[in-house]
Amino acid sequence: MARPKSKYPRLSERELEIMSMLWQRGPLFVREMLDGYPDPKPHFNTVSTTVRILEDKGYVRHEPLGGSYQYYATAAASDFAGRSLSQVIKSYFHGSASAAVSALVEEEQLSVDELREIIRMVEENKENN
């Protein structure tokens, strides 16, 4: 049985860069997006094309302002978070969430209190389903 397709398919690296700018900084013109890149900056047309692709996918919209277009995100970062985390677990931890959590504990990125809170949330979710 095939898994249902996500409402928000995975973003390419370049698409994610632009979405991150829009999520962090709000509405932007393409020139402002270019300012957000380190050197060597991508070409204006490359960024513009990627923005149009995101717009075609429904993740970005634009508003005409002063003879140009200002772009804004219509999809929230949280819409992509779960899918991205699943991809990381699949790619780097052979699909094992416990291995991912173990790595976070070993790297001291996850405290005992945070781990207890995660366990509480899992148990609560189990009771509700």
Side-chain angles (χ1 to χ4, degrees):
M1 179 174 177
R3 286 190 309 170
K5 288 193 177 187
S6 170
K7 181 179 174 185
Y8 299 100
R10 199 170 71 143
L11 296 170
S12 72
E13 188 174 330
R14 192 161 305 273
E15 290 170 341
L16 181 57
E17 289 170 342
I18 290 171
M19 291 301 294
S20 294
M21 285 182 212
L22 293 171
W23 290 326
Q24 292 170 11
R25 296 171 52 199
L28 297 168
F29 295 96
V30 172
R31 291 234 178 267
E32 293 172 318
M33 291 177 204
L34 278 170
D35 291 340
Y37 283 96
D39 289 328
K41 296 182 185 309
H43 192 274
F44 180 93
N45 290 344
T46 301
V47 175
S48 182
T49 298
T50 305
V51 170
R52 281 193 306 257
I53 290 168
L54 288 166
E55 197 168 21
D56 289 344
K57 290 180 176 183
Y59 304 154
V60 170
R61 290 212 177 114
H62 71 270
E63 183 177 320
L65 278 172
S68 187
Y69 295 113
Q70 188 177 50
Y71 296 91
Y72 59 95
T74 57
S78 60
D79 295 331
F80 294 90
R83 183 157 175 100
S84 297
L85 181 58
S86 295
Q87 190 63 35
V88 167
I89 291 170
K90 181 179 175 185
S91 298
Y92 295 101
F93 299 99
H94 306 290
S96 170
S98 62
V101 170
S102 178
L104 290 170
V105 169
E106 286 174 23
E107 294 293 321
E108 298 179 4
Q109 299 294 316
L110 185 65
S111 71
V112 173
D113 288 339
E114 290 170 319
L115 196 50
R116 284 188 184 115
E117 178 64 14
I118 292 168
I119 292 168
R120 185 196 62 73
M121 288 187 309
V122 169
E123 288 172 344
E124 190 177 287
N125 189 40
K126 218 176 202 181
E127 290 172 5
N128 293 335
N129 288 330

